[in-house]
Amino acid sequence: MIRIAAATIRLRRLSFVGTFIALALGSALMAALGLVLDTTVTAPPRPPQRYSTVPVVVAGSQTLTVPTGRGGASAPLAEPRGVPADVVAAFPDAVVDRVFRAYYGRDGVGRPWSALGLDGQALRQGRAPAADDEIAVADGRLGDRVPVVTDGGLVRYTIVGIVTDGPQPAVFFTDARAAALHPRVDALALTRSADDVRSVIGDRAIVLTGQDRARLDANREPDARDRNNAATIVGIALGFAAFVAIFVVASTFAFAVAQRRAEFALLRATGATPGQIRRMVYAEALLVAVTAAAAGTAAGPWLAARISSQFVPAWVSTLSNAHWPLWTSFGTGAAVALLGALAAAWRAGRVRPGEALRETAVEPRVMPLTRWVLGLGVLGTALVTMAVTAIGDPGAATNRKTYMPVVMLLVAAAGLLAPALVRPVARAVAAALDRPRGATGLVASASARASARRTAAIAAPVLVTVGLAAALLTASALTDTAKVALDKPPIPAAATVVATGGAGLDQELVRALPDAQFSTPTSVYTLEGDTALIRREALAVTWVPDDAVMVTPDLALPVGSTAHVWLADGSPAALRVIGELPLGSPADLLVGAGNAYSARPTVAYLSARVPIPPGHNATYSNARTAGPSASRTGLFVVLAIVLGYTALSLVNTLLMAAPDRAGEHRTLRLLGALRSQILRVSLLEVLISVAIGVVLASACAFIAVGSLWLTLLRVTGPLTITVPWLPLGAITAGTIALALLTALVSGARPVARASGGGARG
């Protein structure tokens, strides 16, 4: 059987080249994305930066731990605690470090001069600060008088020292000035033995050594966030790659088997059993799968090295050399081919010996019951998923990860049901061609309807290409619009002042804004199900009392009840629930401004515009528009992968379909058709197939975006749907041009052969 399968593949190379390329590219993508995912997940954290030159660091508690029904639950504190005064007094030889926000043309931190060198920085020019109005910085000119904004306000300082660059922009003050600006001691740097330090402090503070010193670095949370974002984007890309591989391979393999009905009928007539026919198809699939998956997997590391910069955080420099992505890719590629051949082999085994004698231009039943069940089941799953989101959790619709699976399900359903939809859709598409094109349009539309399986096979890659692009780009723009709508002022305000950068509004500026209401980002911890401690985004606002809270509906805390929570510094609080926030609110809770601790306000709401004192890091907010984000960038990368994949699939499907038209072309020549007329028929038939794919893609996009709009209607109210016509037009036009060019190239030879064997005219 293997020998027969190998001979068949050699004789019908064109029928298998599409499957081979699709499998090879899919395996390469899955191997590459698997390596990138492993790189993102397993990359070691950055080595300690802020305290890279000292062996032992003492810091205040960084973790909140609460008792639960299963022992205890912990989470990192949003508001780290300082080192207790008695611990500081116990180590007179320690370097006392204070780290506080300082805005000097950009976001940075202020530190005492004695902390210089803890992160490897050194004095490069000038001298150490000696007076309260002197500083040392990494960028600037000696003698310049510059403004620096700290928590207390804006003060001008003289630059007396230039230091080398460090891991974080820093302004170095005298030790006394740093203590006055920021009384809390954030860390003690020691050269003693860690065991000796622990024996002195007990459980009053924590001792950090080795890699644990990185827990105090400023990049700790951003690195974790970048890692999670990258893993999410790569996971989505991997899911799309697997989806498109299965979709395209199944469609291509089914079409290849459908082309060989006469061949299977002749084998049956010579005594082959249905089981032998099925085993032959499986053997062909296995041979193609093994070679294609091996080729694709071998190319995986090369491809991973070229796409990793689009996904992996910049601080990760080494690509993973793990073997599991390669083995997984190889196994998945082989499994995809066998799954794609499963239904096709079952149909091949049902071919009857006499079918070769009565094969006509009109295909037999193109939609078996199993395909109907599977297609309608996938469509039903998509519709139920949309309904569950719209009814149960409409706020989740603003997350791209929520609607991407729905789009894939809709496209898969359309692809499965495509053969049944070809004929009615082809009639509608061809109606416009029959009149202006006369007999040419009539023949092309009739051929497209009669060869429903061939038409569906050509339309499938178009459906994936245009459908995914239209649905994902339009839905992404809609969710961005929803996020902007949700970012509206929570209270009436004539003007809004926002902090430029992450340092927040300093106290001097706060005092300079009369009658303003302020909002400060913070965190609140809740215990879910008496087992999980959840850190939730919250805002500390001036219009909520310090003993009260407003919550979103998902917390299930009715107005008038008591919320038992932990605040940003880990202190427990019992807060009165005085109101419910709307669905989709940017924060889960609103607490009183007194619960913001050391965090600065980032937004001020004013009843009228007033001048902002110069030098402060603040500006009036204009109407906000959605900007680029990491997830949106990842979305474009995913689409680029999918578009390249399906473009190759479209080309190969058209090349596979070309030989089927040779007999049709000879018949048309015998009827007196010119070469140019035959070529126009071929091009129009391909154009109809592409148009069917575009129509089905538009239907998928309409359903996906429409359901998203209806879901967001409950969260934000009516939203404007902005269709990105330019990229969609370019993608659609490129797909049409690619299809017509391939049809022109692949159809020229069969037309020439038909002309050689038919009447001349």
Side-chain angles (χ1 to χ4, degrees), residues 15-83:
S15 296
F16 291 97
V17 68
T19 303
F20 180 90
I21 292 178
L23 275 173
L25 182 56
S27 297
L29 279 174
M30 283 185 278
L33 291 171
L35 288 171
V36 172
L37 182 61
D38 188 77
T39 300
T40 302
V41 173
T42 63
R46 290 198 231 193
Q49 298 181 54
R50 182 175 288 172
Y51 302 106
S52 59
T53 64
V54 289
V56 178
V57 179
V58 175
S61 176
Q62 306 288 310
T63 305
L64 169 64
T65 301
V66 300
T68 68
R70 297 183 180 179
S74 299
L77 278 174
E79 187 76 20
R81 296 164 179 157
V83 181

Side-chain angles (χ1 to χ4, degrees), residues 55-58 91 190-202 207-209:
V56 178
V57 179
V58 175
F91 298 100
L190 296 159
T191 56
R192 298 189 186 187
S193 162
D195 292 336
D196 292 343
V197 174
R198 290 190 182 94
S199 66
V200 173
I201 66 173
V207 179
L208 304 175
T209 61

Side-chain angles (χ1 to χ4, degrees), residues 607-706:
S607 57
R609 292 178 72 97
V610 298
I612 297 176
H616 294 273
N617 56 314
T619 185
Y620 276 101
S621 172
N622 297 317
R624 179 173 175 262
T625 57
S629 63
S631 60
R632 188 170 177 83
T633 302
L635 175 63
F636 281 106
V637 174
V638 170
L639 281 177
I641 292 172
V642 171
L643 294 182
Y645 196 102
T646 51
L648 286 174
S649 173
L650 177 61
V651 170
N652 282 289
T653 303
L654 287 168
L655 291 175
M656 289 172 59
D660 288 353
R661 296 190 173 94
E664 301 170 11
H665 294 165
R666 284 193 295 270
T667 302
L668 289 173
R669 280 299 278 152
L670 291 172
L671 293 174
L674 301 175
R675 295 183 185 179
S676 59
Q677 291 175 315
I678 296 175
L679 197 56
R680 284 202 300 273
V681 168
S682 297
L683 293 177
L684 280 173
E685 184 180 348
V686 170
L687 189 60
I688 291 172
S689 302
V690 171
I692 291 171
V694 172
V695 169
L696 295 177
S698 301
C700 292
F702 178 81
I703 294 173
V705 175

Side-chain angles (χ1 to χ4, degrees), residues 471-483:
L472 293 180
L473 290 179
T474 307
S476 179
L478 184 60
T479 56
D480 286 341
T481 303
K483 290 176 182 177

